[in-house]
Amino acid sequence: VDTLSSDEYEPLNTTQMDVEMKQLDELSAVETEYYSKCKSLVFIMTSAMHTDKLLQHDNSHANSYQYCSEIAEVCSDHVNELMTKLVSAVKRFPTQHEATDDDTKDSNEKDMVEILIMNASIKEQETAQKEVDTLYDGNWLRMVDLCSSKMIFHSFKELYFMLLILAKYN
Protein backbone atom coordinates (compact mmCIF):
# COMPACT_ATOMS: atom_id res chain seq x y z
CA VAL A 1 0.00 0.00 0.00
CA ASP A 2 1.46 3.36 -1.06
CA THR A 3 0.70 6.26 1.27
CA LEU A 4 1.29 9.96 1.02
CA SER A 5 0.78 12.44 3.81
CA SER A 6 -0.71 15.83 3.07
CA ASP A 7 2.25 17.25 5.04
CA GLU A 8 4.34 16.74 1.90
CA TYR A 9 2.45 19.49 0.08
CA GLU A 10 3.36 23.11 0.58
CA PRO A 11 0.51 25.64 0.84
CA LEU A 12 -0.04 28.07 -1.99
CA ASN A 13 2.47 30.88 -1.84
CA THR A 14 0.51 34.15 -1.85
CA THR A 15 3.23 35.80 -3.93
CA GLN A 16 2.09 33.61 -6.84
CA MET A 17 -0.82 36.05 -7.12
CA ASP A 18 1.69 38.77 -8.09
CA VAL A 19 2.65 37.08 -11.36
CA GLU A 20 1.35 38.52 -14.63
CA MET A 21 -0.62 41.40 -13.16
CA LYS A 22 -0.17 45.12 -13.31
CA GLN A 23 2.18 46.67 -10.79
CA LEU A 24 0.71 47.30 -7.36
CA ASP A 25 1.37 51.03 -7.65
CA GLU A 26 -0.87 51.07 -10.75
CA LEU A 27 -3.89 49.66 -8.88
CA SER A 28 -6.77 51.89 -7.83
CA ALA A 29 -7.58 52.20 -4.13
CA VAL A 30 -10.44 49.70 -4.48
CA GLU A 31 -8.25 47.23 -6.42
CA THR A 32 -5.53 47.55 -3.77
CA GLU A 33 -8.09 46.91 -1.02
CA TYR A 34 -9.40 43.75 -2.70
CA TYR A 35 -5.87 42.60 -3.57
CA SER A 36 -4.97 42.80 0.14
CA LYS A 37 -8.18 40.99 1.10
CA CYS A 38 -7.38 38.22 -1.42
CA LYS A 39 -3.84 37.76 -0.12
CA SER A 40 -5.07 37.60 3.48
CA LEU A 41 -7.83 35.13 2.68
CA VAL A 42 -5.52 32.89 0.63
CA PHE A 43 -3.03 32.86 3.50
CA ILE A 44 -5.75 31.92 6.02
CA MET A 45 -7.17 29.21 3.75
CA THR A 46 -3.84 27.59 2.90
CA SER A 47 -2.71 27.69 6.52
CA ALA A 48 -5.86 25.78 7.47
CA MET A 49 -5.27 23.03 4.87
CA HIS A 50 -3.76 20.28 6.94
CA THR A 51 -4.80 16.73 7.60
CA ASP A 52 -3.12 13.80 9.26
CA LYS A 53 -5.10 11.39 7.10
CA LEU A 54 -2.97 9.45 4.62
CA LEU A 55 -3.95 8.79 1.03
CA GLN A 56 -3.92 5.08 0.32
CA HIS A 57 -3.52 3.30 -3.00
CA ASP A 58 -4.01 -0.46 -3.21
CA ASN A 59 -1.75 -1.69 -5.97
CA SER A 60 1.74 -1.40 -7.37
CA HIS A 61 0.42 0.33 -10.50
CA ALA A 62 -0.69 3.31 -8.41
CA ASN A 63 2.60 5.14 -8.93
CA SER A 64 2.21 5.58 -12.70
CA TYR A 65 0.97 8.12 -15.23
CA GLN A 66 -1.69 5.66 -16.42
CA TYR A 67 -3.19 5.23 -12.95
CA CYS A 68 -3.11 8.91 -12.04
CA SER A 69 -4.40 10.09 -15.44
CA GLU A 70 -7.37 7.70 -15.20
CA ILE A 71 -8.30 9.28 -11.87
CA ALA A 72 -7.75 12.76 -13.35
CA GLU A 73 -9.98 11.92 -16.32
CA VAL A 74 -12.81 10.88 -13.99
CA CYS A 75 -12.36 14.11 -12.03
CA SER A 76 -12.26 16.48 -15.01
CA ASP A 77 -16.04 16.64 -15.53
CA HIS A 78 -16.53 17.33 -11.83
CA VAL A 79 -13.89 20.05 -11.90
CA ASN A 80 -15.65 21.72 -14.86
CA GLU A 81 -18.98 21.51 -13.04
CA LEU A 82 -17.47 23.04 -9.89
CA MET A 83 -15.94 25.89 -11.90
CA THR A 84 -19.29 26.65 -13.54
CA LYS A 85 -21.04 26.67 -10.18
CA LEU A 86 -18.39 28.95 -8.66
CA VAL A 87 -18.79 31.46 -11.49
CA SER A 88 -22.59 31.37 -11.09
CA ALA A 89 -22.20 31.99 -7.36
CA VAL A 90 -19.79 34.89 -7.90
CA LYS A 91 -22.30 36.51 -10.26
CA ARG A 92 -24.79 36.67 -7.38
CA PHE A 93 -22.54 39.07 -5.47
CA PRO A 94 -23.23 42.78 -6.12
CA THR A 95 -20.70 44.46 -8.39
CA GLN A 96 -21.14 47.88 -6.86
CA HIS A 97 -22.84 49.03 -3.65
CA GLU A 98 -25.95 47.09 -2.71
CA ALA A 99 -28.59 47.59 -5.37
CA THR A 100 -31.53 49.51 -3.96
CA ASP A 101 -33.71 50.08 -7.00
CA ASP A 102 -34.27 48.65 -10.48
CA ASP A 103 -32.04 51.24 -12.21
CA THR A 104 -29.09 50.34 -10.02
CA LYS A 105 -29.73 46.62 -10.52
CA ASP A 106 -29.68 47.09 -14.31
CA SER A 107 -26.44 49.07 -14.00
CA ASN A 108 -24.88 46.30 -11.90
CA GLU A 109 -25.75 43.67 -14.51
CA LYS A 110 -24.15 45.80 -17.25
CA ASP A 111 -20.98 46.21 -15.16
CA MET A 112 -20.56 42.45 -14.66
CA VAL A 113 -17.62 41.13 -16.64
CA GLU A 114 -17.70 37.48 -17.63
CA ILE A 115 -15.28 35.33 -15.63
CA LEU A 116 -13.54 33.09 -18.11
CA ILE A 117 -13.21 29.38 -17.46
CA MET A 118 -10.62 27.22 -19.14
CA ASN A 119 -12.03 23.69 -18.92
CA ALA A 120 -10.13 20.98 -17.12
CA SER A 121 -7.49 19.18 -19.11
CA ILE A 122 -5.07 16.36 -18.41
CA LYS A 123 -1.37 17.17 -18.57
CA GLU A 124 0.46 15.38 -21.40
CA GLN A 125 2.51 12.39 -20.26
CA GLU A 126 5.86 13.77 -21.45
CA THR A 127 5.36 17.07 -19.61
CA ALA A 128 4.06 15.31 -16.52
CA GLN A 129 6.98 12.85 -16.54
CA LYS A 130 9.50 15.72 -16.53
CA GLU A 131 7.70 17.35 -13.61
CA VAL A 132 7.48 14.11 -11.62
CA ASP A 133 11.16 13.33 -12.20
CA THR A 134 12.33 16.86 -11.42
CA LEU A 135 10.07 17.89 -8.54
CA TYR A 136 8.67 14.72 -6.97
CA ASP A 137 11.51 12.17 -7.11
CA GLY A 138 9.51 9.96 -9.48
CA ASN A 139 6.46 9.77 -7.21
CA TRP A 140 3.36 10.29 -9.36
CA LEU A 141 1.16 10.37 -6.27
CA ARG A 142 2.61 13.76 -5.30
CA MET A 143 1.48 15.48 -8.52
CA VAL A 144 -1.56 17.59 -7.66
CA ASP A 145 -2.08 19.34 -11.01
CA LEU A 146 -2.36 16.45 -13.48
CA CYS A 147 -5.92 17.64 -14.10
CA SER A 148 -6.21 21.39 -13.95
CA SER A 149 -8.60 24.13 -14.88
CA LYS A 150 -8.28 27.90 -14.72
CA MET A 151 -10.49 30.88 -14.04
CA ILE A 152 -9.60 34.31 -15.34
CA PHE A 153 -10.91 37.15 -13.21
CA HIS A 154 -11.09 40.74 -14.37
CA SER A 155 -10.84 42.21 -10.89
CA PHE A 156 -9.61 41.34 -7.44
CA LYS A 157 -13.15 41.93 -6.21
CA GLU A 158 -14.42 39.00 -8.33
CA LEU A 159 -11.52 36.86 -7.12
CA TYR A 160 -12.25 37.81 -3.52
CA PHE A 161 -15.91 36.81 -3.85
CA MET A 162 -14.88 33.41 -5.24
CA LEU A 163 -12.37 32.94 -2.40
CA LEU A 164 -15.12 33.76 0.14
CA ILE A 165 -17.28 31.02 -1.36
CA LEU A 166 -14.43 28.51 -1.21
CA ALA A 167 -13.53 29.56 2.34
CA LYS A 168 -17.08 28.97 3.50
CA TYR A 169 -16.98 25.35 2.38
CA ASN A 170 -13.31 24.65 3.17
Side-chain angles (χ1 to χ4, degrees):
V1 175
D2 292 320
T3 59
L4 179 63
S5 169
S6 64
D7 294 346
E8 295 182 44
Y9 299 110
E10 292 185 22
L12 176 67
N13 182 345
T14 56
T15 58
Q16 290 172 347
M17 293 171 51
D18 295 338
V19 178
E20 296 182 15
M21 61 172 245
K22 54 183 168 175
Q23 298 297 315
L24 289 177
D25 58 352
E26 297 174 6
L27 298 177
S28 70
V30 172
E31 289 174 318
T32 302
E33 174 189 354
Y34 278 99
Y35 171 77
S36 295
K37 287 180 177 183
C38 288
K39 282 186 78 165
S40 297
L41 192 52
V42 166
F43 177 77
I44 291 166
M45 290 170 63
T46 57
S47 297
M49 288 184 194
H50 176 76
T51 180
D52 294 327
K53 186 177 180 181
L54 297 176
L55 300 175
Q56 296 185 359
H57 302 273
D58 295 336
N59 60 47
S60 61
H61 301 292
N63 193 22
S64 69
Y65 175 81
Q66 180 67 28
Y67 177 80
C68 293
S69 65
E70 286 174 7
I71 293 171
E73 186 66 39
V74 169
C75 294
S76 65
D77 288 338
H78 299 291
V79 169
N80 291 334
E81 182 181 349
L82 173 65
M83 299 292 263
T84 302
K85 287 181 179 182
L86 282 171
V87 168
S88 295
V90 168
K91 287 180 181 178
R92 293 189 181 119
F93 281 88
T95 56
Q96 298 174 349
H97 297 290
E98 286 293 324
T100 54
D101 59 27
D102 290 335
D103 292 335
T104 308
K105 287 179 186 176
D106 291 340
S107 172
N108 280 348
E109 289 173 16
K110 291 175 191 170
D111 289 342
M112 271 304 269
V113 177
E114 191 67 29
I115 298 169
L116 301 176
I117 299 173
M118 299 175 80
N119 283 335
S121 61
I122 310 301
K123 194 174 284 192
E124 294 293 325
Q125 184 171 359
E126 183 178 325
T127 305
Q129 185 69 57
K130 288 177 185 173
E131 186 175 327
V132 165
D133 291 343
T134 305
L135 301 174
Y136 307 123
D137 298 322
N139 186 349
W140 283 95
L141 301 177
R142 292 188 63 201
M143 179 173 275
V144 296
D145 65 343
L146 191 58
C147 173
S148 64
S149 181
K150 295 178 175 87
M151 292 176 137
I152 301 173
F153 296 89
H154 298 281
S155 72
F156 283 110
K157 189 174 186 179
E158 292 171 339
L159 174 61
Y160 180 68
F161 290 156
M162 191 271 308
L163 291 171
L164 285 175
I165 293 165
L166 290 175
K168 178 176 177 158
Y169 296 103
N170 184 9

